[in-house]
Amino acid sequence: MSEMIGIYRLADKGPVRVLSLLLALLVAGCVLWDPSRLAIVPEPYAVLWVLALIWAVCSGVIHGSGLRLQTRRWQLLFNPLPGLLILLAAVFCFFFNGH
């Protein structure tokens, strides 16, 4: 658990925050523009992919807007680094998927 808090502190830098906000807004725009391009997973797992995208966008906006979470519970829930990985995967799938 303390490792995740250390990861949160590692990501608590200005450039990472800007990247987080830009990726979150880009993915949100991509979902609104053409949601079918992000439908890359088989049907039973589509719900989990969509929930992961929603969580990653929320985490990216919370982190990127400069909100500093004080309690460990919220730092674990909205840890930006897993969210950044999901956002990067979504951007890659949107722009480099064969649709």
Side-chain angles (χ1 to χ4, degrees):
M1 171 129 51
S2 64
E3 295 87 15
M4 291 299 282
I5 302 304
I7 291 173
Y8 184 82
R9 288 191 185 121
L10 179 69
D12 196 18
K13 307 280 188 273
V16 179
R17 286 185 178 273
V18 170
L19 177 67
S20 182
L21 182 63
L22 289 176
L23 281 175
L25 294 176
L26 178 65
V27 169
C30 290
V31 168
L32 291 174
W33 186 262
D34 188 8
S36 66
R37 291 180 72 176
L38 290 170
I40 59 164
V41 295
E43 187 63 34
Y45 303 108
V47 173
L48 296 176
W49 173 244
V50 170
L51 287 175
L53 278 179
I54 292 170
W55 172 80
V57 168
C58 291
S59 177
V61 170
I62 288 171
H63 181 252
S65 64
L67 181 66
R68 295 187 191 275
L69 303 173
Q70 299 299 322
T71 61
R72 292 182 190 264
R73 171 182 35 196
W74 295 115
Q75 288 177 358
L76 287 173
L77 182 63
F78 293 111
N79 198 329
L81 291 183
L84 282 173
L85 292 175
I86 294 170
L87 291 172
L88 285 172
V91 167
F92 181 80
C93 291
F94 187 83
F95 290 109
F96 300 110
N97 199 3
H99 282 113

